[in-house]
Amino acid sequence: MAVCIAVIAKENYPLYIRSVPTQNELKFHYTVHTSLDVVEEKISAVGKSLGDQRELYLGLLYPTEDYKMFRKLHNSFTDVMCNPFHNPGDTIQSKAFDGIVSGMMVQTG
Amino acid sequence: MAGSQWELPPELCCRPMAFVALTGLDVVYNAVHRAIWDAFCANRRADRVPISFKVLPGDHEYPKCRTKRTSYEWYIPKGILKTGWMNKHLNLVPALVVLFYELDWDDPQWKEKQSECATKVEIVRTSLQGRNTKVAVVLIQKKTPLPPGEDLVASERASSLCNACDLSGKSLFVLPHTDHLVGYIIRLENAFYEHAQTYYYTEIRRVKSHKEFLNKTTHQLLFVRHQFKIAFFSELKQDTQNALKYYRTAYSLVHELRAHETNMLEIKTMAGFINYKICRLCFQHNTPLDAIAQFRKHIDLCKKKIGSAELAFEHAAWMSKQFQSFGELFDEAIKLGLTAIQTQNPGFYYQQAACYSQERKQLAQQLCQAGASYPSPDPLDTQSGGLDFYGQRPWRQGHQSIDPPDAEKEKTGILALQIKERDVPHSVTLLVVRTSTGCFHTCRLSCFSKISDICVCYTIRLLDYVMCDYRTERWWGLLTAILTTALRCAYLMASVKDYIIYCMELLGRGKQTRLSVTHHLSTSGRIDESSLFDFNEVPDAEPECDPSSVSAARSLWNDRVALSGSNEFTIEVQDYIPFIQCKAKFFSPSFHVDQPIQLQVFLRADCPHPVTLNKLAVSLSNQEYNQWCVVESSGQESMSLIPGKTKCYNFSFVAKTEDVGKKIEVSVSVMLGSDRGRCVFLSWRGAGGDAASNHEALQASRSSRRWGRGMETRPELDWDNLIMQHSTMIISRVPKISVQLSHQPPALNNEMYCISLTVQSQEEGVAKEVKLTAGLKPGQDANLGQTTHVTLDGSKVCDDTAPALLPDVPLGDLKPGEKLERCVYVRCVSTGPRVFLFHVAYSIDTTVEGRQIVCKCHKDETATIETVVPFEVSVKFVSTKFEPLDRVAVDIPFLLMTDILSSSPWPLVLASSSLQLLTMTSNTPQLQSQLQEVVLQTGECASECFCLRCPPLTSSNNTVATGQYLISWRSADSPLIQTTVTLPHVILESVPLYIHADLPSFGRVRESLPVRYHIENRTALVQEVEMAVEPSDAFMFSGLKQVRLRILPGSEQQMLYNYYPLMAGYQTLPQLNISLPRCPTTNTHTLRRFLPQRIFVKPQGRQLDDASIAAA
């Protein structure tokens, strides 16, 4: 299960970021920010080979993620974007999205 | 030296090179020897063999070789690798000892010298007892040697010397010190290198041979040691491939060792060394991925091997060092041409190193209690001052059992290490790591999150750099964290400006709703926004600061505060996100000069508490206006901003008339603090906006586009929807006059076209100095300027000197309601459309906001006028029989016919016309023009006819210019215009024989019609002419029917015929056949054109018969 989930805008700023446990939040923020380099590299690599442009999942940034998790999160994110009251580029404030993310997070009882 | 304990030993990090000792050289006193030594060691480029040379005295004592062990049965190793071993083989035990000896082959004292040399060799051999080190002899000779085999003495003596010294022939060299010293030296050292290779090869063999004596239970340490030694010797032999192989074996053997708390450090140390060697060789072999893989494996294997819990900081320190040294290797490889990628670059390793350093510091703080005193005697003291084996504890060296031999000693030892750790300046180590990270800004580094207390200036600069990234990428959480750190740094450095900036940003909206931070700032009493910048006092220390550095910082602050200067700070906010936002807005993008310029400045505070401003100043691009746009807080009304509320300041000022046509730009600055104490100016370039506002504006525009309609009804001032207007244009006052043009297009080419202009004033005051600028509007085709002429004088046709644009024609003053008319005449030399500009300017006194100003106003009117040609002139040449001519015969009359076709919409009056002939002459006396005072309506044509004759030409040119046709004309009442038409050229031809006839204009039936033919010979020869008249039904005739005659040059012959017409009407005259036997080109046909063909014959007159009339 995830400890930190972030949605990043294409201009590299966070639209949504949440982590458990909260005391280590800053460290996760740093990790997420640092991993943007990997994302950039992967995106530029995808751009080169025109083969599979519709594949949205970039693969593992670090070997900790789960594909299904991405699908679930991406679907939820798409729902947020489809909300006519949401202004693209604003940070995400959605109960449904929160719920999905919480479900994916480590359950710290 | 606790700090350097973790450094890798230099002998590990250097590139191992074969060690060759040179003896018998006196480099201090002997110039020749000095030169030889220099040639060996100076200028060692990469292409020379890798040898490290050392000059040693002949009787140098080499390290003693221990007696060879014949059996390992009872031997229990005390450690993995002795600390001195690498250095011993790099710098102490040579692979080859070279003895230099001065001896020529023909030396007179050969015998004595030979035995002396042998003795020296013997001394060297003795001190190398037990080692496999080779010995070689180099004879330094004064003479150039002969080619091998030619010098018999030499070969004989060489072999005798070899025998005496017990040397093989390959170990004896000759070095003539002549011109080519370096060449000889290079050959020598190549030979030395081969010897050294052999030596290291035998050493490898020797170490390998031990293996069979070892057993797996007691000699595990030796397996590692031997593999390491073989690998190291291979490196010395420059066999890096094999070295890498052996190091890899050694590495796996190290991890097979039984690890327990007592030897954990030793295992890690050795693993670290071997890993370093492997990574280094991998980079050297240009296989960076292998290096990275090895390093990852290494870290995975060692991460958990913490060892003693009380000394956990040691593990962190070791890990940090591992990452750092790998980072350095990586860095080194990049400098040598390796290209790093974003996911794999040294920065990551430095970052990890920094993380572990941080962990080390934390662990040290946890584990090292302050109170304990350093134990005595010092358990870390050893007899030799150092350790025998790498990675062992000083108080139990060589001990390899699982439990420590002496629990008490162990305790004091750990205590001593802890106390030492406490004194390590952690921050320094951190900074060393950090500064090296500074160079890798391609990756997003996060190690800046934790900074120690001792800060150096550049730390802040580095932080600034990182902050900038976070700010632009809007990672507010990270920005806040770094800002807190930076604030601490700024505090400790007593850097006032930085301190203010960081406070300002921490209070600003750039923070991630982290109220805790601001809360903390405000509750700590240091940052009460209103008094934040009013500090004549030293701010309180930041939390989490080291108390000792706080006191240092406090004294620094005291010094700063005491300084009288530098009390004002200006902060350009566009690089930061301050806690006050500003938007400035001109009411309109342009203002007329007689209107007051209105400007609004909106301010909003984002901090949690109200802020008091001292002054709001707007500076405009013309400094003179600044005085009108200042708000200062006076005693009663303080300017305070309530968080979240927008405050608006209105300014209004009157523009200067000089600024008409200029743009006025605004920039705002806000003063916080007081004039007396320190003050800070926040300055917004342009109309406001900081590092975050662009994005906010974008988001706001997105949402307002969607919700635009709802927004309009919102009563409150919406900050996001405030649109900045940072500049305004000052434009001239609106003119209150009317300018009317009246004219009748199209204009005719060359005509004086009249445009009448009516100016009427609707001003309330007197319009003074009314000036008219009239003419071609600038910016059109350049040729139009040449072909257009404007004048005010319509009485005569203007010439080409008249300008295309008449500037500033004074028209005097214009009273209210008064009307003024002017005619402007335009003459267009070419056709086509033209735009004419009529610019009426005047000045008027007005009052704006009680101020008297003189405004300049102007009104422009344009008119597009098409110019057309008034008429077209066509010209043709015809013969006297009105037949068209393509060429004109010399000295024979012909006709010039002109047609003037009017295309003007108005009637044209043709005043006169005339010909100006060049070569031609008129055949008739010039009479009055046939066109005089003819009025042509549209589409009408006026024709004229001239009879001309071309005199014989002197030049051979048969084309001649005819001349010009001048037409004087006018339209309506305008002055006369003369248009000149150039007549076409004609082609001349000369005729040899000219014939023309004299005959009456008509004949009458049955009445004699005398016809006289004139035949002229125009050649210089006598011409024979045959003439015959053909009979005709219509005529009878008398005269010579057929005749042959001769005509002298230039003379004329006349022939007279009497024709007697028989029929009435147009009758063809009897045809005259003429032939010129001498001139066959001229025949009847060519001559016949000169003769009339027909004649009108009237019927016979009837005698008036009264009777018949009466009968009728």
Side-chain angles (χ1 to χ4, degrees):
Chain A
M1 284 284 123
V3 286
C4 175
I5 285 179
V7 180
I8 310 293
K10 65 177 188 300
E11 293 90 359
N12 283 340
Y13 67 93
L15 291 172
Y16 184 93
I17 185 158
R18 200 167 131 205
S19 54
V20 282
T22 36
Q23 68 266 25
N24 242 348
E25 205 183 350
L26 197 61
K27 188 182 160 241
F28 286 125
H29 284 212
Y30 280 119
T31 311
V32 171
H33 188 246
T34 312
S35 64
L36 289 182
D37 281 331
V38 187
V39 174
E40 257 171 31
E41 194 151 280
K42 292 213 175 194
I43 287 172
S44 62
V46 165
K48 275 171 211 156
S49 65
L50 288 159
D52 203 8
Q53 293 237 320
R54 284 200 284 177
E55 178 56 65
L56 295 167
Y57 182 55
L58 286 174
L60 301 181
L61 305 180
Y62 288 109
T64 49
E65 284 155 302
D66 189 359
Y67 185 34
K68 272 183 193 157
M69 192 191 279
F70 170 77
R71 288 258 294 270
K72 210 166 156 191
L73 184 71
H74 188 257
N75 286 341
S76 181
F77 176 70
T78 320
D79 289 346
V80 171
M81 286 296 138
C82 292
N83 176 3
F85 297 97
H86 178 78
N87 187 21
D90 277 352
T91 49
I92 296 172
Q93 282 155 344
S94 151
K95 272 184 198 160
F97 193 75
D98 262 350
I100 295 282
V101 169
S102 303
M104 289 158 65
M105 291 285 202
V106 172
Q107 302 302 314
T108 48
Chain B
M1 288 293 282
S4 63
Q5 179 197 343
W6 306 106
E7 295 295 322
L8 296 175
E11 56 266 33
L12 183 78
C13 302
C14 69
R15 178 192 176 191
M17 291 194 288
F19 175 39
V20 172
L22 310 178
T23 64
L25 285 179
D26 180 6
V27 295
V28 183
Y29 297 109
N30 190 322
V32 174
H33 291 188
R34 180 79 216 176
I36 291 169
W37 170 236
D38 282 347
F40 271 117
C41 59
N43 201 14
R44 287 203 74 85
R45 288 195 310 264
D47 55 336
R48 294 192 45 184
V49 285
I51 301 182
S52 79
F53 288 105
K54 214 176 243 186
V55 173
L56 295 174
D59 52 354
H60 178 76
E61 289 278 333
Y62 299 96
K64 286 277 180 297
C65 185
R66 271 182 292 106
T67 46
K68 291 279 178 286
R69 209 179 291 280
T70 49
S71 154
Y72 280 89
E73 212 164 317
W74 299 106
Y75 175 66
I76 293 171
K78 289 178 176 172
I80 301 176
L81 186 67
K82 286 209 171 161
T83 49
W85 187 82
M86 281 186 285
N87 186 44
K88 186 170 82 178
H89 286 277
L90 283 170
N91 296 316
L92 301 175
V93 178
L96 173 73
V97 178
V98 185
L99 176 70
F100 285 83
Y101 192 72
E102 284 189 49
L103 182 61
D104 275 279
W105 294 128
D106 52 356
D107 197 283
Q109 292 168 302
W110 172 259
K111 277 270 181 240
E112 291 81 354
K113 290 262 173 106
Q114 178 180 313
S115 60
E116 193 193 337
C117 181
T119 322
K120 286 194 170 182
V121 170
E122 199 46 43
I123 292 168
V124 171
R125 283 236 171 85
T126 324
S127 74
L128 285 169
Q129 192 117 51
R131 301 223 173 255
N132 294 323
T133 305
K134 312 264 176 200
V135 179
V137 172
V138 175
L139 298 180
I140 304 172
Q141 297 193 335
K142 292 190 187 70
K143 291 180 184 152
T144 320
L146 294 167
E150 285 187 23
D151 195 344
L152 292 176
V153 184
S155 50
E156 179 208 322
R157 289 197 164 172
S159 64
S160 89
L161 186 67
C162 283
N163 282 333
C165 303
D166 192 16
L167 282 174
S168 82
K170 283 184 179 172
S171 304
L172 179 67
F173 305 96
V174 171
L175 175 64
H177 69 89
T178 52
D179 301 339
H180 311 291
L181 186 63
V182 177
Y184 283 111
I185 295 289
I186 286 174
R187 278 166 65 184
L188 266 185
E189 66 184 22
N190 285 335
F192 294 167
Y193 182 60
E194 271 176 41
H195 281 290
Q197 295 254 23
T198 329
Y199 166 76
Y200 290 120
Y201 176 69
T202 51
E203 285 300 293
I204 291 168
R205 291 282 300 276
R206 186 175 61 77
V207 180
K208 274 186 180 168
S209 69
H210 298 327
K211 198 181 172 183
E212 53 191 290
F213 302 112
L214 305 182
N215 68 60
K216 288 238 166 180
T217 48
T218 46
H219 298 139
Q220 265 199 323
L221 297 176
L222 292 184
F223 279 108
V224 180
R225 183 191 295 174
H226 290 166
Q227 287 300 318
F228 184 86
K229 285 186 175 180
I230 294 169
F232 196 79
F233 280 131
S234 302
E235 262 198 288
L236 282 164
K237 197 177 160 241
Q238 307 305 321
D239 181 2
T240 51
Q241 293 293 353
N242 275 321
L244 183 59
K245 193 176 89 192
Y246 292 121
Y247 278 130
R248 282 194 193 278
T249 331
Y251 188 79
S252 55
L253 286 171
V254 158
H255 283 292
E256 282 172 23
L257 291 177
R258 275 187 300 271
H260 37 81
E261 227 167 76
T262 45
N263 73 347
M264 190 66 89
L265 182 65
E266 185 173 10
I267 289 175
K268 278 195 300 190
T269 308
M270 277 316 290
F273 285 5
I274 299 168
N275 173 66
Y276 178 84
K277 278 290 190 191
I278 294 173
C279 295
R280 191 188 158 90
L281 287 172
C282 285
F283 277 121
Q284 201 178 317
H285 292 159
N286 206 13
T287 51
L289 291 179
D290 288 358
I292 291 167
Q294 162 64 28
F295 185 73
R296 282 209 179 137
K297 188 173 105 188
H298 172 60
I299 291 301
D300 284 348
L301 284 169
C302 299
K303 203 156 50 182
K304 300 284 177 215
K305 296 192 175 175
I306 296 167
S308 153
E310 293 106 314
L311 297 173
F313 54 84
E314 283 193 331
H315 180 67
W318 180 82
M319 287 294 278
S320 168
K321 189 65 210 169
Q322 296 305 304
F323 277 105
Q324 191 192 338
S325 52
F326 186 76
E328 280 160 7
L329 278 177
F330 202 159
D331 208 359
E332 193 74 20
I334 286 169
K335 276 180 200 144
L336 292 173
L338 184 75
T339 42
I341 51 173
Q342 272 197 340
T343 44
Q344 281 303 342
N345 74 34
F348 281 111
Y349 299 97
Y350 287 132
Q351 180 201 341
Q352 280 298 318
C355 287
Y356 276 106
S357 274
Q358 183 66 23
E359 196 180 317
R360 175 188 182 182
K361 186 189 159 194
Q362 283 166 355
L363 288 168
Q365 278 169 351
Q366 283 168 23
L367 296 171
C368 310
Q369 312 88 333
S373 61
Y374 198 76
S376 174
D378 187 355
L380 304 185
D381 216 11
T382 52
Q383 282 172 340
S384 59
L387 293 169
D388 287 345
F389 287 93
Y390 283 117
Q392 293 194 344
R393 297 293 180 199
W395 62 88
R396 48 172 167 79
Q397 288 199 73
H399 184 84
Q400 284 293 338
S401 62
I402 293 176
D403 294 317
D406 183 342
E408 195 54 39
K409 252 190 180 175
E410 189 73 15
K411 220 179 253 174
T412 53
I414 287 172
L415 182 65
L417 285 175
Q418 287 176 342
I419 290 172
K420 284 221 159 165
E421 180 70 13
R422 206 178 58 202
D423 300 336
V424 171
H426 291 106
S427 45
V428 174
T429 26
L430 260 176
L431 277 176
V432 169
V433 174
R434 284 226 174 78
T435 38
S436 39
T437 23
C439 0
F440 299 96
H441 37 246
T442 50
C443 75
R444 298 177 168 85
L445 290 171
S446 58
C447 58
F448 295 94
S449 56
K450 312 129 195 172
I451 194 104
S452 57
D453 290 349
I454 297 172
C455 291
V456 216
C457 256
Y458 53 72
T459 318
I460 284 203
R461 298 284 83 83
L462 282 176
L463 286 172
D464 267 344
Y465 187 83
V466 182
M467 274 192 278
C468 186
D469 269 2
Y470 288 141
R471 208 178 282 126
T472 49
E473 295 200 338
R474 299 197 288 290
W475 284 79
W476 305 134
L478 303 183
L479 181 64
T480 311
I482 292 218
L483 277 170
T484 323
T485 313
L487 183 67
R488 205 150 65 226
C489 291
Y491 172 73
L492 292 169
M493 283 166 61
S495 163
V496 183
K497 191 172 176 182
D498 288 330
Y499 188 79
I500 294 168
I501 291 174
Y502 299 140
C503 282
M504 185 180 83
E505 269 202 288
L506 274 173
L507 287 168
R509 66 195 188 291
K511 61 198 181 283
Q512 180 203 40
T513 51
R514 279 197 162 226
L515 286 174
S516 59
V517 177
T518 31
H519 178 71
H520 147 75
L521 284 172
S522 43
T523 48
S524 64
R526 284 165 303 121
I527 301 180
D528 167 21
E529 289 82 0
S530 52
S531 62
L532 164 61
F533 305 106
D534 199 15
F535 44 111
N536 283 317
E537 294 164 28
V538 177
D540 288 342
E542 295 294 316
E544 300 170 48
C545 278
D546 187 44
S548 62
S549 21
V550 166
S551 62
R554 189 158 290 153
S555 71
L556 263 175
W557 273 100
N558 279 325
D559 293 350
R560 290 285 152 86
V561 172
L563 275 176
S564 55
S566 69
N567 282 338
E568 286 184 10
F569 301 95
T570 305
I571 299 168
E572 299 278 341
V573 294
Q574 66 272 5
D575 301 330
Y576 306 101
I577 304 170
F579 61 92
I580 299 178
Q581 288 186 78
C582 164
K583 283 187 176 182
K585 180 182 165 189
F586 283 107
F587 261 42
S588 149
S590 63
F591 284 95
H592 291 290
V593 73
D594 58 337
Q595 289 175 312
I597 294 175
Q598 285 174 300
L599 172 71
Q600 280 187 315
V601 176
F602 299 93
L603 292 179
R604 191 166 88 152
D606 302 310
C607 47
H609 299 281
V611 187
T612 309
L613 311 178
N614 207 317
K615 190 172 162 187
L616 167 69
V618 177
S619 75
L620 296 144
S621 41
N622 186 342
Q623 303 279 321
E624 286 180 51
Y625 302 135
N626 291 359
Q627 49 178 321
W628 309 108
C629 305
V630 177
V631 185
E632 260 178 286
S633 72
S634 55
Q636 284 83 37
E637 51 166 332
S638 65
M639 299 161 64
S640 65
L641 297 177
I642 294 144
K645 285 265 189 308
T646 306
K647 195 151 186 181
C648 171
Y649 295 91
N650 286 305
F651 301 104
S652 148
F653 58 92
V654 178
K656 296 205 174 301
T657 44
E658 305 92 88
D659 280 343
V660 171
K662 286 184 190 159
K663 204 173 218 183
I664 293 190
E665 290 184 8
V666 69
S667 62
V668 182
S669 73
V670 163
M671 188 176 104
L672 300 161
S674 67
D675 288 329
R676 301 174 302 286
R678 269 152 220 270
C679 54
V680 173
F681 290 96
L682 297 183
S683 143
W684 283 268
R685 203 187 290 157
D690 45 49
S693 56
N694 270 349
H695 180 253
E696 285 164 358
L698 181 70
Q699 287 301 99
S701 75
R702 278 185 190 168
S703 68
S704 73
R705 212 178 300 146
R706 212 178 287 186
W707 308 114
R709 263 171 230 155
M711 286 290 179
E712 286 160 20
T713 55
R714 273 173 65 162
E716 209 181 311
L717 196 56
D718 181 46
W719 179 264
D720 287 334
N721 281 6
L722 281 177
I723 290 159
M724 296 187 275
Q725 173 73 44
H726 73 100
S727 68
T728 191
M729 191 84 181
I730 298 178
I731 52 178
S732 57
R733 181 176 169 275
V734 181
K736 289 182 186 158
I737 53 164
S738 68
V739 176
Q740 283 178 329
L741 300 177
S742 79
H743 59 107
Q744 286 178 302
L748 302 179
N749 207 354
N750 280 322
E751 177 196 24
M752 295 300 284
Y753 185 72
C754 175
I755 301 167
S756 79
L757 178 88
T758 312
V759 181
Q760 183 159 25
S761 165
Q762 283 124 25
E763 292 283 0
E764 285 154 9
V766 178
K768 286 188 246 172
E769 296 166 34
V770 183
K771 281 177 184 166
L772 168 71
T773 300
L776 200 63
K777 191 178 184 184
Q780 301 182 74
D781 189 356
N783 289 334
L784 290 181
Q786 310 281 319
T787 56
T788 310
H789 308 286
V790 180
T791 176
L792 292 174
D793 181 12
S795 61
K796 60 179 185 349
V797 177
C798 66
D799 54 6
D800 289 351
T801 55
L805 184 74
L806 276 181
D808 294 334
V809 180
L811 301 179
D813 292 354
L814 206 58
K815 292 193 184 68
E818 203 179 355
K819 204 172 186 177
L820 192 146
E821 280 184 45
R822 272 300 146 96
C823 278
V824 177
Y825 295 91
V826 172
R827 178 169 161 247
C828 305
V829 181
S830 64
T831 56
R834 286 172 173 76
V835 183
F836 289 92
L837 171 76
F838 298 88
H839 170 98
V840 180
Y842 63 98
S843 58
I844 188 155
D845 296 329
T846 50
T847 317
V848 187
E849 305 233 308
R851 292 179 65 210
Q852 195 80 22
I853 56 166
V854 179
C855 290
K856 288 199 162 68
C857 304
H858 63 88
K859 176 122 183 178
D860 286 359
E861 222 28 80
T862 56
T864 307
I865 296 170
E866 185 80 26
T867 306
V868 296
V869 285
F871 50 79
E872 276 160 38
V873 178
S874 58
V875 176
K876 58 186 183 211
F877 296 98
V878 292
S879 67
T880 44
K881 285 160 71 185
F882 292 97
E883 289 166 343
L885 290 177
D886 52 349
R887 41 189 69 203
V888 170
V890 175
D891 213 12
I892 294 166
F894 64 94
L895 298 177
L896 170 74
M897 305 217 21
T898 59
D899 292 328
I900 299 171
L901 176 68
S902 165
S903 54
S904 152
W906 331 114
L908 289 182
V909 180
L910 302 178
S912 69
S913 66
S914 63
L915 275 184
Q916 278 188 343
L917 297 170
L918 289 174
T919 46
M920 314 267 172
T921 54
S922 182
N923 213 26
T924 49
Q926 186 62 53
L927 298 167
Q928 214 178 5
S929 167
Q930 295 147 322
L931 302 176
Q932 202 147 29
E933 295 305 324
V934 169
V935 177
L936 282 182
Q937 300 296 332
T938 313
E940 284 182 342
C941 183
S943 298
E944 226 178 338
C945 182
F946 300 93
C947 185
L948 304 179
R949 178 195 286 268
C950 189
L953 283 181
T954 47
S955 70
S956 59
N957 197 349
N958 60 352
T959 343
V960 292
T962 314
Q964 287 173 322
Y965 182 46
L966 308 178
I967 307 158
S968 290
W969 60 277
R970 62 192 162 86
S971 71
D973 316 325
S974 63
L976 272 184
I977 302 144
Q978 192 162 58
T979 302
T980 307
V981 181
T982 305
L983 297 171
H985 288 205
V986 288
I987 304 167
L988 285 183
E989 70 176 345
S990 54
V991 285
L993 197 74
Y994 178 53
I995 179 164
H996 60 104
D998 280 347
L999 76 169
S1001 51
F1002 63 92
R1004 205 179 279 273
V1005 175
R1006 292 190 210 162
E1007 274 182 28
S1008 167
L1009 177 74
V1011 176
R1012 189 185 297 270
Y1013 292 101
H1014 303 259
I1015 306 161
E1016 283 174 41
N1017 179 6
R1018 291 202 171 169
T1019 58
L1021 301 169
V1022 178
Q1023 291 290 349
E1024 199 163 296
V1025 181
E1026 282 181 9
M1027 256 179 85
V1029 181
E1030 282 184 12
S1032 165
D1033 291 344
F1035 292 93
M1036 291 191 300
F1037 68 90
S1038 67
L1040 295 169
K1041 190 174 184 232
Q1042 192 166 17
V1043 72
R1044 192 185 189 118
L1045 38 98
R1046 284 183 181 174
I1047 309 170
L1048 292 174
S1051 70
E1052 185 192 87
Q1053 186 76 43
Q1054 295 186 359
M1055 302 288 291
L1056 182 67
Y1057 289 88
N1058 258 325
Y1059 290 146
Y1060 187 76
L1062 297 176
M1063 289 182 248
Y1066 275 108
Q1067 300 300 335
T1068 308
L1069 285 168
Q1071 294 230 327
L1072 203 63
N1073 281 334
I1074 304 162
S1075 66
L1076 296 166
R1078 294 251 182 109
C1079 189
T1081 54
T1082 312
N1083 53 27
T1084 313
H1085 284 288
T1086 54
L1087 289 171
R1088 218 175 253 170
R1089 62 189 161 130
F1090 300 124
L1091 293 174
Q1093 294 288 312
R1094 296 184 304 176
I1095 194 163
F1096 186 74
V1097 180
K1098 290 183 176 180
Q1100 195 170 24
R1102 193 178 284 175
Q1103 298 298 317
L1104 277 176
D1105 188 345
D1106 294 333
S1108 62
I1109 295 167

